[in-house]
């Protein structure tokens, strides 16, 4: 990719510093930060072991910190910098947070091998579940 600029490089260097924090804690060395405009509004590094939380990836930590910082769960227009290609969970979180752009360092060669092996079975009490959601959103309109 050739669309990077000096700010992108500066922010990725900060993400690398955060990755070193993770390594120092015995975690997989991944760091991330969320930038709005030119301001860092949230930072994070991998902490699943320390937090006893499989969702405590660097990107999730950075999104949580940014959302708390700006007091809004929507990070519209933000860029997320992360040292490793995001997993599907983290991409989903970025989607829901309305992150506009993600810039990552290393590609994850295991990403395609990590596809879920969880058996998904849908449709149980589907009408009731759907009705609850429909009523909720109807009341908000």
């Amino acid at each position: 990719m050739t669309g990077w600029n000096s700010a992108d490089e500066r922010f990725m260097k900060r993400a690398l510093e955060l990755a070193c924090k993770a390594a120092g804690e015995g975690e997989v060395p991944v760091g991330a930060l969320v930038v709005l405009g030119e301001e860092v509004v949230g930072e994070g590094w991998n902490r699943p072991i320390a937090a006893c939380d499989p969702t405590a990836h660097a990107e999730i930590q950075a999104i949580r910190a940014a959302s708390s910082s700006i007091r809004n769960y929507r990070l519209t227009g933000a860029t997320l910098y992360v040292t490793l290609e995001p997993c599907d969970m983290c991409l989903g979180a970025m989607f829901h947070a309305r992150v506009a752009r993600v810039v990552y360092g290393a590609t994850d060669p295991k990403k395609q091998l990590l596809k879920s092996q969880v058996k998904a079975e849908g449709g149980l009490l589907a009408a009731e579940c759907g009705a609850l959601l429909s009523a909720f959103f109807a009341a908000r309109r």
Side-chain angles (χ1 to χ4, degrees), residues 106-120:
T107 57
D108 187 351
K110 296 187 289 182
K111 185 172 182 185
Q112 293 306 315
L113 298 175
L114 295 177
K115 290 298 180 189
S116 177
Q117 294 184 18
V118 175
K119 184 177 180 182

Side-chain angles (χ1 to χ4, degrees), residues 47-98:
R47 303 205 74 242
I49 298 167
C52 296
D53 179 357
T55 70
H57 290 192
E59 301 95 320
I60 301 298
Q61 301 290 74
I63 288 169
R64 288 175 178 161
S67 296
S68 179
S69 171
I70 69 166
R71 302 188 51 77
N72 193 332
Y73 73 102
R74 290 188 174 155
L75 303 173
T76 306
T79 297
L80 190 146
Y81 294 86
V82 60
T83 58
L84 178 66
E85 180 180 9
C87 70
D88 292 343
M89 173 186 71
C90 292
L91 286 170
M94 288 177 223
F95 169 81
H96 286 287
R98 312 291 201 281

Side-chain angles (χ1 to χ4, degrees), residues 34-47:
V34 176
V35 175
L36 272 171
E38 287 293 312
E39 181 184 358
V40 175
V41 294
E43 296 183 334
W45 55 93
N46 263 8
R47 303 205 74 242

Side-chain angles (χ1 to χ4, degrees), residues 7-52:
D8 289 334
E9 189 170 326
R10 181 172 32 113
F11 292 129
M12 188 59 77
K13 285 181 180 176
R14 177 61 186 153
L16 280 166
E17 291 171 3
L18 296 168
C20 289
K21 282 188 173 194
E25 295 177 3
E27 302 275 1
V28 175
V30 179
L33 55 110
V34 176
V35 175
L36 272 171
E38 287 293 312
E39 181 184 358
V40 175
V41 294
E43 296 183 334
W45 55 93
N46 263 8
R47 303 205 74 242
I49 298 167
C52 296

